[in-house]
Short mmCIF file of all heavy atoms in Angstrom, two decimals:
data_model
loop_
_atom_site.label_atom_id
_atom_site.label_comp_id
_atom_site.label_asym_id
_atom_site.label_seq_id
_atom_site.Cartn_x
_atom_site.Cartn_y
_atom_site.Cartn_z
N SER A 17 130.31 -87.21 7.99
CA SER A 17 130.90 -87.57 6.74
C SER A 17 132.04 -88.46 6.89
O SER A 17 132.32 -89.44 6.12
CB SER A 17 131.22 -86.25 5.96
OG SER A 17 132.26 -85.58 6.59
N ASP A 18 132.90 -88.16 7.92
CA ASP A 18 134.05 -89.11 8.19
C ASP A 18 133.52 -90.50 8.61
O ASP A 18 134.07 -91.54 8.17
CB ASP A 18 134.88 -88.60 9.35
CG ASP A 18 135.76 -87.42 8.89
OD1 ASP A 18 135.92 -87.18 7.72
OD2 ASP A 18 136.28 -86.72 9.84
N THR A 19 132.48 -90.56 9.44
CA THR A 19 131.92 -91.89 9.85
C THR A 19 131.44 -92.71 8.68
O THR A 19 131.72 -93.87 8.52
CB THR A 19 130.75 -91.64 10.90
OG1 THR A 19 131.35 -90.97 12.01
CG2 THR A 19 130.09 -93.00 11.24
N ILE A 20 130.71 -92.02 7.79
CA ILE A 20 130.16 -92.71 6.60
C ILE A 20 131.29 -93.15 5.69
O ILE A 20 131.24 -94.22 5.11
CB ILE A 20 129.11 -91.80 5.90
CG1 ILE A 20 127.91 -91.60 6.79
CG2 ILE A 20 128.67 -92.43 4.52
CD1 ILE A 20 127.18 -92.86 7.20
N ALA A 21 132.23 -92.28 5.40
CA ALA A 21 133.35 -92.62 4.54
C ALA A 21 134.10 -93.89 5.12
O ALA A 21 134.48 -94.74 4.40
CB ALA A 21 134.26 -91.43 4.38
N GLU A 22 134.38 -93.86 6.45
CA GLU A 22 135.01 -95.00 7.03
C GLU A 22 134.18 -96.23 6.92
O GLU A 22 134.75 -97.33 6.62
CB GLU A 22 135.31 -94.69 8.52
CG GLU A 22 136.38 -93.66 8.70
CD GLU A 22 136.47 -93.11 10.14
OE1 GLU A 22 135.77 -93.70 11.03
OE2 GLU A 22 137.22 -92.18 10.35
N ARG A 23 132.90 -96.15 7.11
CA ARG A 23 132.01 -97.32 6.93
C ARG A 23 132.02 -97.86 5.53
O ARG A 23 132.11 -99.02 5.31
CB ARG A 23 130.57 -96.97 7.46
CG ARG A 23 129.62 -98.13 7.38
CD ARG A 23 130.04 -99.21 8.38
NE ARG A 23 129.16 -100.38 8.23
CZ ARG A 23 129.36 -101.56 8.71
NH1 ARG A 23 130.53 -101.76 9.28
NH2 ARG A 23 128.55 -102.49 8.54
N MET A 24 131.95 -96.89 4.58
CA MET A 24 132.04 -97.31 3.20
C MET A 24 133.36 -98.02 2.87
O MET A 24 133.34 -99.12 2.24
CB MET A 24 131.91 -96.10 2.23
CG MET A 24 130.54 -95.47 2.23
SD MET A 24 130.51 -93.95 1.22
CE MET A 24 130.61 -94.71 -0.44
N ARG A 25 134.48 -97.56 3.41
CA ARG A 25 135.69 -98.27 3.17
C ARG A 25 135.69 -99.65 3.85
O ARG A 25 136.21 -100.57 3.35
CB ARG A 25 136.89 -97.39 3.67
CG ARG A 25 137.16 -96.20 2.83
CD ARG A 25 137.34 -96.48 1.34
NE ARG A 25 138.51 -97.28 1.14
CZ ARG A 25 138.54 -98.36 0.29
NH1 ARG A 25 137.60 -98.63 -0.49
NH2 ARG A 25 139.73 -99.06 0.17
N ALA A 26 135.08 -99.76 5.02
CA ALA A 26 135.02 -101.04 5.71
C ALA A 26 134.26 -102.06 4.90
O ALA A 26 134.47 -103.26 4.94
CB ALA A 26 134.42 -100.83 7.06
N LEU A 27 133.28 -101.56 4.02
CA LEU A 27 132.45 -102.42 3.20
C LEU A 27 133.04 -102.54 1.77
O LEU A 27 132.38 -102.90 0.86
CB LEU A 27 131.07 -101.88 3.19
CG LEU A 27 130.37 -101.85 4.49
CD1 LEU A 27 128.97 -101.14 4.39
CD2 LEU A 27 130.13 -103.27 5.07
N ASP A 28 134.28 -102.06 1.64
CA ASP A 28 135.02 -102.08 0.32
C ASP A 28 134.37 -101.15 -0.74
O ASP A 28 134.55 -101.40 -1.91
CB ASP A 28 135.17 -103.52 -0.19
CG ASP A 28 136.04 -104.32 0.67
OD1 ASP A 28 137.04 -103.81 1.18
OD2 ASP A 28 135.84 -105.54 0.79
N ALA A 29 133.63 -100.18 -0.28
CA ALA A 29 133.05 -99.15 -1.23
C ALA A 29 134.10 -97.98 -1.19
O ALA A 29 134.85 -97.76 -0.26
CB ALA A 29 131.75 -98.67 -0.83
N VAL A 30 134.08 -97.26 -2.35
CA VAL A 30 135.02 -96.06 -2.42
C VAL A 30 134.14 -94.80 -2.50
O VAL A 30 133.45 -94.58 -3.52
CB VAL A 30 135.92 -96.15 -3.66
CG1 VAL A 30 136.81 -94.89 -3.74
CG2 VAL A 30 136.71 -97.46 -3.62
N PRO A 31 134.17 -93.99 -1.47
CA PRO A 31 133.37 -92.68 -1.48
C PRO A 31 133.97 -91.76 -2.49
O PRO A 31 135.19 -91.69 -2.71
CB PRO A 31 133.57 -92.19 -0.01
CG PRO A 31 134.70 -92.85 0.51
CD PRO A 31 134.95 -94.17 -0.18
N ASP A 32 133.12 -91.05 -3.20
CA ASP A 32 133.56 -90.14 -4.27
C ASP A 32 133.22 -88.74 -3.70
O ASP A 32 132.12 -88.17 -3.94
CB ASP A 32 132.86 -90.38 -5.59
CG ASP A 32 133.31 -89.49 -6.70
OD1 ASP A 32 134.18 -88.58 -6.45
OD2 ASP A 32 132.94 -89.80 -7.84
N GLY A 33 134.19 -88.08 -3.06
CA GLY A 33 133.97 -86.75 -2.50
C GLY A 33 134.45 -85.66 -3.38
O GLY A 33 134.65 -84.49 -2.94
N ARG A 34 134.72 -85.86 -4.66
CA ARG A 34 135.12 -84.80 -5.58
C ARG A 34 134.02 -83.79 -5.65
O ARG A 34 132.81 -84.12 -5.65
CB ARG A 34 135.46 -85.37 -6.98
CG ARG A 34 136.65 -86.26 -6.97
CD ARG A 34 136.87 -86.92 -8.33
NE ARG A 34 135.68 -87.78 -8.67
CZ ARG A 34 135.41 -88.15 -9.87
NH1 ARG A 34 136.16 -87.86 -10.90
NH2 ARG A 34 134.36 -88.96 -10.06
N SER A 35 134.44 -82.56 -5.70
CA SER A 35 133.43 -81.43 -5.66
C SER A 35 132.48 -81.52 -6.85
O SER A 35 131.27 -81.30 -6.58
CB SER A 35 134.18 -80.11 -5.66
OG SER A 35 134.99 -79.91 -6.81
N ASP A 36 132.86 -81.84 -8.00
CA ASP A 36 131.96 -81.93 -9.14
C ASP A 36 130.95 -83.07 -8.94
O ASP A 36 129.73 -82.91 -9.34
CB ASP A 36 132.67 -82.10 -10.48
CG ASP A 36 133.57 -83.23 -10.58
OD1 ASP A 36 134.08 -83.69 -9.51
OD2 ASP A 36 133.85 -83.67 -11.71
N THR A 37 131.36 -84.14 -8.32
CA THR A 37 130.37 -85.23 -8.05
C THR A 37 129.39 -84.77 -6.98
O THR A 37 128.23 -85.02 -7.15
CB THR A 37 131.12 -86.49 -7.61
OG1 THR A 37 132.13 -86.90 -8.62
CG2 THR A 37 130.21 -87.59 -7.31
N VAL A 38 129.90 -84.19 -5.95
CA VAL A 38 129.01 -83.71 -4.90
C VAL A 38 128.01 -82.75 -5.43
O VAL A 38 126.82 -82.87 -5.12
CB VAL A 38 129.87 -83.08 -3.68
CG1 VAL A 38 128.88 -82.46 -2.69
CG2 VAL A 38 130.74 -84.13 -3.09
N VAL A 39 128.44 -81.76 -6.19
CA VAL A 39 127.51 -80.81 -6.77
C VAL A 39 126.46 -81.46 -7.69
O VAL A 39 125.26 -81.09 -7.60
CB VAL A 39 128.32 -79.73 -7.52
CG1 VAL A 39 127.34 -78.84 -8.37
CG2 VAL A 39 129.08 -78.86 -6.60
N ALA A 40 126.91 -82.40 -8.44
CA ALA A 40 125.91 -83.06 -9.42
C ALA A 40 124.93 -83.97 -8.67
O ALA A 40 123.89 -84.18 -9.26
CB ALA A 40 126.77 -83.88 -10.44
N THR A 41 125.20 -84.43 -7.58
CA THR A 41 124.36 -85.40 -6.91
C THR A 41 123.71 -84.92 -5.59
O THR A 41 122.97 -85.69 -5.00
CB THR A 41 125.13 -86.73 -6.54
OG1 THR A 41 126.22 -86.44 -5.74
CG2 THR A 41 125.70 -87.37 -7.86
N THR A 42 123.94 -83.71 -5.24
CA THR A 42 123.43 -83.31 -3.90
C THR A 42 121.92 -83.10 -3.91
O THR A 42 121.39 -82.77 -5.02
CB THR A 42 124.15 -81.95 -3.45
OG1 THR A 42 123.68 -81.68 -2.13
CG2 THR A 42 123.76 -80.75 -4.32
N THR A 43 121.29 -83.31 -2.77
CA THR A 43 119.83 -83.00 -2.62
C THR A 43 119.70 -81.69 -1.80
O THR A 43 118.57 -81.39 -1.50
CB THR A 43 119.16 -84.20 -1.90
OG1 THR A 43 119.81 -84.44 -0.64
CG2 THR A 43 119.20 -85.47 -2.76
N VAL A 44 120.82 -81.12 -1.45
CA VAL A 44 120.76 -79.96 -0.60
C VAL A 44 120.52 -78.70 -1.53
O VAL A 44 121.31 -78.52 -2.46
CB VAL A 44 122.08 -79.76 0.20
CG1 VAL A 44 122.08 -78.45 1.04
CG2 VAL A 44 122.22 -80.99 1.08
N PRO A 45 119.55 -77.90 -1.17
CA PRO A 45 119.31 -76.73 -2.08
C PRO A 45 120.48 -75.79 -2.11
O PRO A 45 121.20 -75.62 -1.09
CB PRO A 45 118.04 -76.07 -1.45
CG PRO A 45 117.45 -77.13 -0.55
CD PRO A 45 118.55 -78.04 -0.14
N ALA A 46 120.70 -75.10 -3.23
CA ALA A 46 121.76 -74.13 -3.34
C ALA A 46 121.48 -72.97 -2.34
O ALA A 46 120.33 -72.67 -2.06
CB ALA A 46 121.84 -73.60 -4.75
N ILE A 47 122.58 -72.36 -1.99
CA ILE A 47 122.53 -71.22 -1.11
C ILE A 47 122.14 -69.97 -1.94
O ILE A 47 122.74 -69.77 -3.05
CB ILE A 47 123.83 -70.93 -0.36
CG1 ILE A 47 124.23 -72.15 0.44
CG2 ILE A 47 123.79 -69.65 0.46
CD1 ILE A 47 123.41 -72.37 1.67
N PRO A 48 121.20 -69.15 -1.54
CA PRO A 48 120.81 -68.01 -2.39
C PRO A 48 122.03 -66.94 -2.42
O PRO A 48 122.80 -66.89 -1.44
CB PRO A 48 119.69 -67.42 -1.64
CG PRO A 48 119.35 -68.23 -0.49
CD PRO A 48 120.35 -69.37 -0.40
N SER A 49 122.10 -66.30 -3.45
CA SER A 49 123.12 -65.21 -3.55
C SER A 49 122.72 -64.00 -2.74
O SER A 49 121.54 -63.91 -2.29
CB SER A 49 123.31 -64.79 -4.99
OG SER A 49 122.12 -64.25 -5.54
#
Side-chain angles (χ1 to χ4, degrees):
S17 65
D18 286 346
T19 298
I20 294 301
E22 289 168 6
R23 183 66 183 158
M24 289 177 71
R25 291 303 300 139
L27 298 173
D28 293 324
V30 179
D32 186 353
R34 294 175 297 163
S35 59
D36 56 336
T37 302
V38 172
V39 168
T41 60
T42 188
T43 58
V44 178
I47 300 293
S49 62

